[in-house]
Amino acid sequence: MTERPSTPPPQTAPSNPGVLPRAPLTPEQVKNIEINRLKAKALHSQRESEARNNDAPTSLERSSSTLTSNNLAAGKKRPYASTTAGVTSTLRDARSATPAAKPGGFRPLDEIQPARNFTKFVEYDFSKMTDTKGGFLTVEDDPHNKALHALKAGEKPAHMTMKEWERHQLLRSLREQKAGPFEPGLSVLSKGPLENDNKKCRECGSLEIDWKWEEVLHCSVCNACKEKVPEKYSLLTKTEAREDYLLTDPELKDEELLPHLERPNPHKSTWNNMMLYLRYQVEEYAFSDKKWGGGDKLDEEFERREGEKKRRKEGKFRAKLQELKKKTR
């Protein structure tokens, strides 16, 4: 008896109305899916075997894991050995260095390597460099350059010890002041009117004068008279001579007209040197006929200038007041 064709089963209605049912897979698609599944399974098994080979437990780990799994009940803590047995040291771990590994001794910081971005970093010692106005160079770069080997003012030479350098500075200051062993000699035999003969103090006649003042200020006076007569032998600054005696800068810079001493600036060492003038020399020039002709005329000139200054200040104030009134109208 021949079999009649069976009626196909009724199709269920789709859960999402309006969405067409998925077409059945072709034999080629089924074959590709099976091949990809087998490849993924083989790759997964290969990775698992490599992980087991790399993380193979030692005898201590195996014993601790066996002890943990067999003898410990649930809820109890594992021993410390089982938790720290798998800790491995890294290359940047300073604890991995041993004293025998380094010939110079145990130095843990030597094991810490710099980052890759800082491997080309070069450290320079700027204290050994010289600014040649064309770049910073060291002595090793050009040993025959005189500009690099030139000493700065007040710098100790390399071949001198500190004691020798202090003695050299002391002798230099005494030579500049003409004091100590560098003071000119005195003799009772030289009594002529020559310039090189003995010079005496202009106040008391003493032979022990300040030779620095005599050389620079052309004034023969001893240290005792400088303290006794301050109204004549006190020193004035350049600002005081300009404001009190109304002298100009060209007059104060003329060493033949007004000699002066130079001292380091007490406010800041990098500023210009302080210029000091002898009071009686400044007064002689200011009160002479070459300048003001007397103290009274100097006072009149001072009052005239103060009056002009006051008038200029008042005029400027009035001008600003008028401008303010125009703006507020």
Side-chain angles (χ1 to χ4, degrees), residues 122-144:
V122 181
E123 184 176 0
Y124 293 99
D125 188 1
F126 288 98
S127 63
K128 297 182 180 179
M129 289 190 172
T130 304
D131 185 8
T132 60
K133 309 302 179 183
F136 288 90
L137 301 176
T138 59
V139 179
E140 291 80 5
D141 294 335
D142 192 358
H144 303 288

PDB file of all heavy atoms in Angstrom, residues 122-144:
ATOM      1  N   VAL A 122      70.101  63.672  29.798  1.00  0.00           N
ATOM      2  CA  VAL A 122      71.504  63.960  30.100  1.00  0.00           C
ATOM      3  C   VAL A 122      71.540  65.023  31.188  1.00  0.00           C
ATOM      4  O   VAL A 122      70.907  66.070  31.054  1.00  0.00           O
ATOM      5  CB  VAL A 122      72.267  64.447  28.850  1.00  0.00           C
ATOM      6  CG1 VAL A 122      73.720  64.721  29.203  1.00  0.00           C
ATOM      7  CG2 VAL A 122      72.177  63.406  27.752  1.00  0.00           C
ATOM      8  N   GLU A 123      72.270  64.770  32.253  1.00  0.00           N
ATOM      9  CA  GLU A 123      72.363  65.702  33.374  1.00  0.00           C
ATOM     10  C   GLU A 123      73.632  66.530  33.235  1.00  0.00           C
ATOM     11  O   GLU A 123      74.725  65.982  33.063  1.00  0.00           O
ATOM     12  CB  GLU A 123      72.367  64.934  34.698  1.00  0.00           C
ATOM     13  CG  GLU A 123      72.353  65.844  35.904  1.00  0.00           C
ATOM     14  CD  GLU A 123      72.259  65.074  37.205  1.00  0.00           C
ATOM     15  OE1 GLU A 123      72.213  63.830  37.147  1.00  0.00           O
ATOM     16  OE2 GLU A 123      72.256  65.712  38.263  1.00  0.00           O
ATOM     17  N   TYR A 124      73.492  67.861  33.343  1.00  0.00           N
ATOM     18  CA  TYR A 124      74.613  68.772  33.213  1.00  0.00           C
ATOM     19  C   TYR A 124      74.870  69.465  34.551  1.00  0.00           C
ATOM     20  O   TYR A 124      73.938  69.721  35.316  1.00  0.00           O
ATOM     21  CB  TYR A 124      74.326  69.844  32.149  1.00  0.00           C
ATOM     22  CG  TYR A 124      74.230  69.297  30.743  1.00  0.00           C
ATOM     23  CD1 TYR A 124      72.996  69.039  30.163  1.00  0.00           C
ATOM     24  CD2 TYR A 124      75.370  69.037  29.995  1.00  0.00           C
ATOM     25  CE1 TYR A 124      72.894  68.536  28.883  1.00  0.00           C
ATOM     26  CE2 TYR A 124      75.272  68.540  28.709  1.00  0.00           C
ATOM     27  CZ  TYR A 124      74.034  68.288  28.160  1.00  0.00           C
ATOM     28  OH  TYR A 124      73.942  67.791  26.893  1.00  0.00           O
ATOM     29  N   ASP A 125      76.138  69.753  34.799  1.00  0.00           N
ATOM     30  CA  ASP A 125      76.536  70.483  36.002  1.00  0.00           C
ATOM     31  C   ASP A 125      76.717  71.947  35.609  1.00  0.00           C
ATOM     32  O   ASP A 125      77.724  72.337  35.019  1.00  0.00           O
ATOM     33  CB  ASP A 125      77.838  69.907  36.565  1.00  0.00           C
ATOM     34  CG  ASP A 125      78.175  70.520  37.913  1.00  0.00           C
ATOM     35  OD1 ASP A 125      77.380  71.353  38.389  1.00  0.00           O
ATOM     36  OD2 ASP A 125      79.215  70.161  38.488  1.00  0.00           O
ATOM     37  N   PHE A 126      75.716  72.783  35.910  1.00  0.00           N
ATOM     38  CA  PHE A 126      75.753  74.179  35.488  1.00  0.00           C
ATOM     39  C   PHE A 126      76.785  74.989  36.262  1.00  0.00           C
ATOM     40  O   PHE A 126      77.131  76.086  35.844  1.00  0.00           O
ATOM     41  CB  PHE A 126      74.363  74.806  35.650  1.00  0.00           C
ATOM     42  CG  PHE A 126      73.359  74.313  34.643  1.00  0.00           C
ATOM     43  CD1 PHE A 126      72.477  73.311  34.960  1.00  0.00           C
ATOM     44  CD2 PHE A 126      73.332  74.840  33.366  1.00  0.00           C
ATOM     45  CE1 PHE A 126      71.561  72.842  34.037  1.00  0.00           C
ATOM     46  CE2 PHE A 126      72.424  74.389  32.431  1.00  0.00           C
ATOM     47  CZ  PHE A 126      71.539  73.388  32.765  1.00  0.00           C
ATOM     48  N   SER A 127      77.270  74.484  37.382  1.00  0.00           N
ATOM     49  CA  SER A 127      78.300  75.218  38.115  1.00  0.00           C
ATOM     50  C   SER A 127      79.635  75.214  37.389  1.00  0.00           C
ATOM     51  O   SER A 127      80.488  76.062  37.649  1.00  0.00           O
ATOM     52  CB  SER A 127      78.475  74.614  39.507  1.00  0.00           C
ATOM     53  OG  SER A 127      78.929  73.268  39.413  1.00  0.00           O
ATOM     54  N   LYS A 128      79.839  74.273  36.467  1.00  0.00           N
ATOM     55  CA  LYS A 128      81.084  74.197  35.711  1.00  0.00           C
ATOM     56  C   LYS A 128      80.943  74.780  34.314  1.00  0.00           C
ATOM     57  O   LYS A 128      81.842  74.626  33.494  1.00  0.00           O
ATOM     58  CB  LYS A 128      81.535  72.738  35.600  1.00  0.00           C
ATOM     59  CG  LYS A 128      81.845  72.105  36.948  1.00  0.00           C
ATOM     60  CD  LYS A 128      82.319  70.681  36.770  1.00  0.00           C
ATOM     61  CE  LYS A 128      82.632  70.034  38.105  1.00  0.00           C
ATOM     62  NZ  LYS A 128      83.078  68.625  37.940  1.00  0.00           N
ATOM     63  N   MET A 129      79.830  75.447  34.039  1.00  0.00           N
ATOM     64  CA  MET A 129      79.601  76.001  32.714  1.00  0.00           C
ATOM     65  C   MET A 129      79.841  77.506  32.709  1.00  0.00           C
ATOM     66  O   MET A 129      79.733  78.166  33.740  1.00  0.00           O
ATOM     67  CB  MET A 129      78.177  75.705  32.234  1.00  0.00           C
ATOM     68  CG  MET A 129      77.956  74.252  31.888  1.00  0.00           C
ATOM     69  SD  MET A 129      76.386  74.007  31.062  1.00  0.00           S
ATOM     70  CE  MET A 129      76.538  72.297  30.584  1.00  0.00           C
ATOM     71  N   THR A 130      80.160  78.032  31.547  1.00  0.00           N
ATOM     72  CA  THR A 130      80.427  79.453  31.364  1.00  0.00           C
ATOM     73  C   THR A 130      79.539  79.981  30.257  1.00  0.00           C
ATOM     74  O   THR A 130      79.423  79.365  29.190  1.00  0.00           O
ATOM     75  CB  THR A 130      81.910  79.686  30.995  1.00  0.00           C
ATOM     76  OG1 THR A 130      82.731  79.096  32.001  1.00  0.00           O
ATOM     77  CG2 THR A 130      82.210  81.172  30.899  1.00  0.00           C
ATOM     78  N   ASP A 131      78.917  81.129  30.515  1.00  0.00           N
ATOM     79  CA  ASP A 131      78.070  81.770  29.515  1.00  0.00           C
ATOM     80  C   ASP A 131      78.967  82.594  28.595  1.00  0.00           C
ATOM     81  O   ASP A 131      79.432  83.665  28.945  1.00  0.00           O
ATOM     82  CB  ASP A 131      77.031  82.656  30.193  1.00  0.00           C
ATOM     83  CG  ASP A 131      76.041  83.239  29.189  1.00  0.00           C
ATOM     84  OD1 ASP A 131      76.100  82.819  28.010  1.00  0.00           O
ATOM     85  OD2 ASP A 131      75.237  84.097  29.573  1.00  0.00           O
ATOM     86  N   THR A 132      79.221  82.090  27.401  1.00  0.00           N
ATOM     87  CA  THR A 132      80.090  82.761  26.436  1.00  0.00           C
ATOM     88  C   THR A 132      79.312  83.690  25.510  1.00  0.00           C
ATOM     89  O   THR A 132      79.836  84.096  24.482  1.00  0.00           O
ATOM     90  CB  THR A 132      80.851  81.723  25.603  1.00  0.00           C
ATOM     91  OG1 THR A 132      79.911  80.903  24.913  1.00  0.00           O
ATOM     92  CG2 THR A 132      81.731  80.858  26.479  1.00  0.00           C
ATOM     93  N   LYS A 133      78.048  83.992  25.847  1.00  0.00           N
ATOM     94  CA  LYS A 133      77.167  84.818  25.018  1.00  0.00           C
ATOM     95  C   LYS A 133      76.866  84.172  23.682  1.00  0.00           C
ATOM     96  O   LYS A 133      76.247  84.782  22.818  1.00  0.00           O
ATOM     97  CB  LYS A 133      77.746  86.225  24.798  1.00  0.00           C
ATOM     98  CG  LYS A 133      78.164  86.940  26.070  1.00  0.00           C
ATOM     99  CD  LYS A 133      77.034  87.080  27.052  1.00  0.00           C
ATOM    100  CE  LYS A 133      77.500  87.783  28.315  1.00  0.00           C
ATOM    101  NZ  LYS A 133      76.425  87.860  29.332  1.00  0.00           N
ATOM    102  N   GLY A 134      77.328  82.941  23.497  1.00  0.00           N
ATOM    103  CA  GLY A 134      77.000  82.204  22.291  1.00  0.00           C
ATOM    104  C   GLY A 134      76.574  80.790  22.634  1.00  0.00           C
ATOM    105  O   GLY A 134      76.554  79.905  21.791  1.00  0.00           O
ATOM    106  N   GLY A 135      76.271  80.550  23.915  1.00  0.00           N
ATOM    107  CA  GLY A 135      75.898  79.227  24.389  1.00  0.00           C
ATOM    108  C   GLY A 135      76.673  78.888  25.647  1.00  0.00           C
ATOM    109  O   GLY A 135      77.731  79.472  25.934  1.00  0.00           O
ATOM    110  N   PHE A 136      76.148  77.959  26.418  1.00  0.00           N
ATOM    111  CA  PHE A 136      76.794  77.522  27.647  1.00  0.00           C
ATOM    112  C   PHE A 136      77.759  76.384  27.318  1.00  0.00           C
ATOM    113  O   PHE A 136      77.354  75.349  26.800  1.00  0.00           O
ATOM    114  CB  PHE A 136      75.753  77.065  28.667  1.00  0.00           C
ATOM    115  CG  PHE A 136      74.958  78.194  29.254  1.00  0.00           C
ATOM    116  CD1 PHE A 136      73.783  78.614  28.658  1.00  0.00           C
ATOM    117  CD2 PHE A 136      75.397  78.845  30.381  1.00  0.00           C
ATOM    118  CE1 PHE A 136      73.050  79.651  29.188  1.00  0.00           C
ATOM    119  CE2 PHE A 136      74.666  79.891  30.927  1.00  0.00           C
ATOM    120  CZ  PHE A 136      73.499  80.292  30.334  1.00  0.00           C
ATOM    121  N   LEU A 137      79.035  76.591  27.614  1.00  0.00           N
ATOM    122  CA  LEU A 137      80.070  75.620  27.323  1.00  0.00           C
ATOM    123  C   LEU A 137      80.826  75.288  28.592  1.00  0.00           C
ATOM    124  O   LEU A 137      80.927  76.104  29.516  1.00  0.00           O
ATOM    125  CB  LEU A 137      81.039  76.165  26.272  1.00  0.00           C
ATOM    126  CG  LEU A 137      80.438  76.553  24.908  1.00  0.00           C
ATOM    127  CD1 LEU A 137      81.503  77.165  24.029  1.00  0.00           C
ATOM    128  CD2 LEU A 137      79.823  75.349  24.231  1.00  0.00           C
ATOM    129  N   THR A 138      81.385  74.095  28.653  1.00  0.00           N
ATOM    130  CA  THR A 138      82.213  73.678  29.769  1.00  0.00           C
ATOM    131  C   THR A 138      83.681  73.745  29.369  1.00  0.00           C
ATOM    132  O   THR A 138      84.026  73.873  28.191  1.00  0.00           O
ATOM    133  CB  THR A 138      81.854  72.248  30.200  1.00  0.00           C
ATOM    134  OG1 THR A 138      82.047  71.366  29.079  1.00  0.00           O
ATOM    135  CG2 THR A 138      80.411  72.164  30.644  1.00  0.00           C
ATOM    136  N   VAL A 139      84.533  73.626  30.360  1.00  0.00           N
ATOM    137  CA  VAL A 139      85.972  73.686  30.096  1.00  0.00           C
ATOM    138  C   VAL A 139      86.408  72.496  29.259  1.00  0.00           C
ATOM    139  O   VAL A 139      87.315  72.592  28.438  1.00  0.00           O
ATOM    140  CB  VAL A 139      86.732  73.747  31.437  1.00  0.00           C
ATOM    141  CG1 VAL A 139      88.234  73.782  31.210  1.00  0.00           C
ATOM    142  CG2 VAL A 139      86.298  74.963  32.226  1.00  0.00           C
ATOM    143  N   GLU A 140      85.753  71.347  29.450  1.00  0.00           N
ATOM    144  CA  GLU A 140      86.142  70.154  28.685  1.00  0.00           C
ATOM    145  C   GLU A 140      85.803  70.295  27.204  1.00  0.00           C
ATOM    146  O   GLU A 140      86.435  69.655  26.368  1.00  0.00           O
ATOM    147  CB  GLU A 140      85.441  68.913  29.255  1.00  0.00           C
ATOM    148  CG  GLU A 140      85.937  68.494  30.632  1.00  0.00           C
ATOM    149  CD  GLU A 140      85.339  69.323  31.739  1.00  0.00           C
ATOM    150  OE1 GLU A 140      84.453  70.161  31.428  1.00  0.00           O
ATOM    151  OE2 GLU A 140      85.746  69.161  32.904  1.00  0.00           O
ATOM    152  N   ASP A 141      84.806  71.126  26.876  1.00  0.00           N
ATOM    153  CA  ASP A 141      84.438  71.286  25.466  1.00  0.00           C
ATOM    154  C   ASP A 141      85.541  71.961  24.663  1.00  0.00           C
ATOM    155  O   ASP A 141      85.806  71.595  23.516  1.00  0.00           O
ATOM    156  CB  ASP A 141      83.142  72.100  25.353  1.00  0.00           C
ATOM    157  CG  ASP A 141      81.958  71.359  25.949  1.00  0.00           C
ATOM    158  OD1 ASP A 141      82.032  70.122  25.992  1.00  0.00           O
ATOM    159  OD2 ASP A 141      80.992  72.010  26.364  1.00  0.00           O
ATOM    160  N   ASP A 142      86.187  72.975  25.245  1.00  0.00           N
ATOM    161  CA  ASP A 142      87.233  73.718  24.532  1.00  0.00           C
ATOM    162  C   ASP A 142      88.323  74.078  25.538  1.00  0.00           C
ATOM    163  O   ASP A 142      88.287  75.134  26.166  1.00  0.00           O
ATOM    164  CB  ASP A 142      86.646  74.979  23.894  1.00  0.00           C
ATOM    165  CG  ASP A 142      87.612  75.621  22.909  1.00  0.00           C
ATOM    166  OD1 ASP A 142      88.728  75.109  22.770  1.00  0.00           O
ATOM    167  OD2 ASP A 142      87.238  76.625  22.277  1.00  0.00           O
ATOM    168  N   PRO A 143      89.306  73.206  25.750  1.00  0.00           N
ATOM    169  CA  PRO A 143      90.326  73.488  26.782  1.00  0.00           C
ATOM    170  C   PRO A 143      91.249  74.641  26.430  1.00  0.00           C
ATOM    171  O   PRO A 143      91.935  75.165  27.308  1.00  0.00           O
ATOM    172  CB  PRO A 143      91.099  72.161  26.868  1.00  0.00           C
ATOM    173  CG  PRO A 143      90.884  71.509  25.548  1.00  0.00           C
ATOM    174  CD  PRO A 143      89.507  71.917  25.102  1.00  0.00           C
ATOM    175  N   HIS A 144      91.299  75.083  25.158  1.00  0.00           N
ATOM    176  CA  HIS A 144      92.209  76.159  24.756  1.00  0.00           C
ATOM    177  C   HIS A 144      91.522  77.520  24.695  1.00  0.00           C
ATOM    178  O   HIS A 144      92.141  78.496  24.271  1.00  0.00           O
ATOM    179  CB  HIS A 144      92.812  75.831  23.384  1.00  0.00           C
ATOM    180  CG  HIS A 144      93.537  74.517  23.341  1.00  0.00           C
ATOM    181  ND1 HIS A 144      94.752  74.314  23.958  1.00  0.00           N
ATOM    182  CD2 HIS A 144      93.177  73.329  22.777  1.00  0.00           C
ATOM    183  CE1 HIS A 144      95.138  73.057  23.759  1.00  0.00           C
ATOM    184  NE2 HIS A 144      94.207  72.435  23.038  1.00  0.00           N
TER     185      HIS A 144
END
